[in-house]
Amino acid sequence: MKRSDLADKHCSIARASAQIVDSWTFIILRELFLGNRRFAGMQKQTGMSPRSLTLRLRKLEEEGILSRPAATGDKDYALTEKGHALWPALIMLKQWGDDWCHPDSDEDLPLINMHRGTGHEMRAKLVCEVCGEPVSTHTTKSILSDRFQSERGGVDAT
């Protein structure tokens, strides 16, 4: 299957992956969430070639994840509502990286998120919106729609 085919799948994970493009996109999103809005600043902090950065920024703009406000010309980028909605995914990826990919050393974590309301270090967790209970792979069951099950060749996930 080609990467471009992911956008046509019934699976939300596949369609979302098609919009994110690749791992560099998360680094670009990190920069935007840190307030780095200019092309030159993003290029400096990511180390990406101008062409690679341009292609990814253009794709994020086409997907409605970021925009370039007309008042600032084409130098500043801003996250759209759709882009801001990626913040929880980025935070969970950061926390996973802190837990599983941090070098074995006494060095401080490279980035700490502070809860503005209380001033303590913020650590997010996934909870059920309905009952407020923490959720994990052990407490959740996935039920495939008929269309998605058909797309998978009739193979059930359970």
Side-chain angles (χ1 to χ4, degrees):
M1 175 188 322
K2 296 180 200 170
R3 180 172 185 74
S4 59
D5 294 338
L6 290 174
D8 297 328
K9 293 294 180 187
H10 187 61
C11 174
S12 300
I13 295 171
R15 289 192 314 273
S17 296
Q19 291 187 16
I20 297 301
V21 183
D22 62 18
S23 56
W24 280 113
T25 302
F26 285 107
I27 304 305
I28 293 168
L29 290 170
R30 175 199 69 193
E31 289 304 309
L32 289 164
F33 281 116
L34 288 174
N36 192 354
R37 306 267 188 260
R38 297 202 157 244
F39 184 92
M42 282 188 266
Q43 185 184 8
K44 179 180 178 185
Q45 294 303 320
T46 64
M48 295 174 69
S49 72
R51 178 169 162 38
S52 292
L53 181 57
T54 297
L55 291 172
R56 284 165 180 85
L57 289 170
R58 187 175 300 142
K59 174 72 171 170
L60 289 170
E61 191 173 6
E62 288 169 4
E63 296 294 349
I65 293 170
L66 62 81
S67 65
R68 292 183 292 178
T72 62
D74 63 354
K75 300 283 187 200
D76 290 308
Y77 293 87
L79 290 161
T80 62
E81 182 179 353
K82 183 177 180 180
H84 281 284
L86 281 166
W87 187 80
L90 196 67
I91 290 301
M92 296 308 275
L93 182 63
K94 178 225 175 281
Q95 287 179 190
W96 182 85
D98 289 347
D99 294 344
W100 297 99
C101 304
H102 192 271
D104 292 329
S105 70
D106 292 332
E107 291 181 38
D108 293 333
L109 293 174
L111 174 68
I112 296 173
N113 292 303
M114 302 300 288
H115 192 219
R116 289 183 200 257
T118 62
H120 65 267
E121 183 176 340
M122 188 279 302
R123 183 133 175 114
K125 72 177 185 178
L126 194 58
V127 298
C128 175
E129 188 176 279
V130 176
C131 67
E133 290 291 318
V135 293
S136 71
T137 57
H138 303 293
T139 62
T140 306
K141 178 182 177 183
S142 299
I143 300 171
L144 281 59
S145 70
D146 291 341
R147 181 174 171 190
F148 187 43
Q149 193 165 344
S150 175
E151 187 175 89
R152 293 171 51 88
V155 177
D156 196 350
T158 56

